[in-house]
Amino acid sequence: MNKWQIGDVKITRVVELEIAGGTRFILPDAVRDEVKPIAWLRPHFADADGNLIMSIHALIVETPQHRIVIDTCVGNDKARSIPPWHMRSGPFLEDLAAAGFAAESIDTVLCTHLHVDHVGWNTRLVDGSWVPTFPNARYLFGREEWEHWGEQETGDQYSDAIDDSVRPIVEADLHQLVEVDHQLCPEIRLEPSRGHTPGHVSVRISSQGDEALITGDFIHHPCQLARLDWCSSADWDQKIAKATRLAKLEELADNPVLVIGTHFATPSAGKVVRDGDVYRLEV
């Protein structure tokens, strides 16, 4: 578990899954022989054999007014096409409670986008039905995201996640559709970072002169700072996603903004610094 303080805002990371290897399905160009020369990735983000290390985690953001969960991982008991995600029975809720965050204490859930590994713990299985995991929360979904994914046909991993992890929230009338520049509270606002999905957002945290950016999936792994051409196989539009990534990295480079990667392995956060014509993450 990692914790960061941004002015009056506290951020806590609770991990569902962190693994080395088996990640080439998401970053197909990141073969071992290409990863090994990026020495600064070791030991946190790649192992000595060139396997990427990636994480699936939730970020709990505490402001003076709110207790927010940003992205809710894969979830338990859900049929998924990726073996480590299929019918999980992990201790995520227990870990969340042990960190001081009982599910009932959360007042807001925010999904950067509606992919399977960002919405899973929106719901949990109770007596054969999917019920909201955070019963006292408002769930914020991007309007553009919902309009896109809500129209999808059933029968693939995306629509399955919508059906078991998003529609039950909508049907319970616990959701709020927001725009890509929504201001949640004085310290928290959304920023559009389209490309990975049509309405993808990142989360900007500003307080007392400090700043952080929670990436969502405009970048999946720190290796993409060194290899700007490496795109995710899950990107809805790789051209738009690459343009977004390049613009964000240029904006962040050599600025005192703490970048918290939604899939970055422990320690998960750092500053983007220039490294010749590319970048690296300084932790």
Side-chain angles (χ1 to χ4, degrees):
M1 183 169 59
N2 302 91
K3 294 186 177 185
W4 304 275
Q5 192 78 34
I6 305 296
D8 295 329
V9 178
K10 184 163 69 174
I11 306 165
T12 303
R13 171 180 175 253
V14 176
V15 177
E16 182 181 48
L17 183 66
E18 186 167 287
I19 58 172
T23 55
R24 205 172 303 157
F25 77 95
I26 200 75
L27 287 170
D29 295 315
V31 298
R32 295 184 184 92
D33 286 346
E34 294 290 338
V35 171
K36 285 180 184 178
I38 311 172
W40 62 263
L41 292 176
R42 299 186 293 273
H44 302 303
F45 307 119
D47 65 20
D49 295 324
N51 296 300
L52 298 183
I53 306 171
M54 294 184 74
S55 173
I56 296 175
H57 51 254
L59 295 162
I60 298 85
V61 178
E62 296 174 273
T63 78
Q65 302 87 17
H66 293 288
R67 181 172 273 195
I68 307 159
V69 174
I70 298 179
D71 288 338
T72 62
C73 307
V74 173
N76 280 357
D77 303 308
K78 296 182 174 179
R80 299 295 185 244
S81 62
I82 298 168
W85 302 358
H86 180 65
M87 300 302 288
R88 286 183 54 80
S89 58
F92 177 79
L93 283 185
E94 291 83 355
D95 292 344
L96 196 68
F101 305 106
E104 293 77 13
S105 73
I106 302 300
D107 62 65
T108 307
V109 175
L110 170 62
C111 297
T112 61
H113 59 297
L114 299 183
H115 274 174
V116 55
D117 52 328
H118 296 259
V119 301
W121 276 108
N122 286 356
T123 60
R124 59 191 178 94
L125 191 63
V126 177
D127 297 329
S129 298
W130 297 112
V131 303
T133 300
F134 305 100
N136 298 317
R138 245 5 229 175
Y139 288 71
L140 304 188
F141 302 142
R143 184 181 305 277
E144 293 179 36
E145 279 291 289
W146 173 244
E147 288 175 353
H148 176 78
W149 298 113
E151 301 284 329
Q152 297 298 297
E153 305 241 344
T154 59
D156 63 27
Q157 63 170 318
Y158 296 117
S159 62
D160 288 349
I162 296 296
D163 288 342
D164 60 36
S165 301
V166 181
R167 289 193 199 280
I169 302 303
V170 174
E171 290 167 359
D173 197 27
L174 293 179
H175 72 300
Q176 178 182 348
L177 298 181
V178 298
E179 306 306 325
V180 292
D181 59 354
H182 178 70
Q183 185 94 33
L184 195 157
C185 61
E187 303 85 1
I188 312 291
R189 64 181 169 86
L190 306 186
E191 293 184 354
S193 45
R194 296 179 179 90
H196 181 62
T197 63
H200 185 281
V201 296
S202 302
V203 184
R204 178 77 62 165
I205 300 168
S206 305
S207 178
Q208 302 294 334
D210 295 335
E211 282 199 71
L213 184 73
I214 296 172
T215 61
D217 283 2
F218 84 75
I219 186 166
H220 276 81
H221 189 277
C223 69
Q224 291 174 283
L225 277 74
R227 292 301 301 268
L228 302 177
D229 54 325
W230 286 0
C231 294
S232 168
S233 59
D235 286 342
W236 165 72
D237 187 312
Q238 289 192 350
K239 184 177 179 180
I240 296 173
K242 181 179 178 181
T244 292
R245 189 166 59 254
L246 293 178
K248 288 288 187 186
L249 292 175
E250 177 64 24
E251 170 202 327
L252 293 165
D254 301 323
N255 282 323
V257 178
L258 183 69
V259 177
I260 305 174
T262 299
H263 289 303
F264 291 6
T266 308
S268 299
K271 307 290 178 63
V272 174
V273 298
R274 297 184 191 277
D275 190 10
D277 293 332
V278 292
Y279 308 93
R280 60 184 171 83
L281 191 70
E282 191 172 85
V283 299

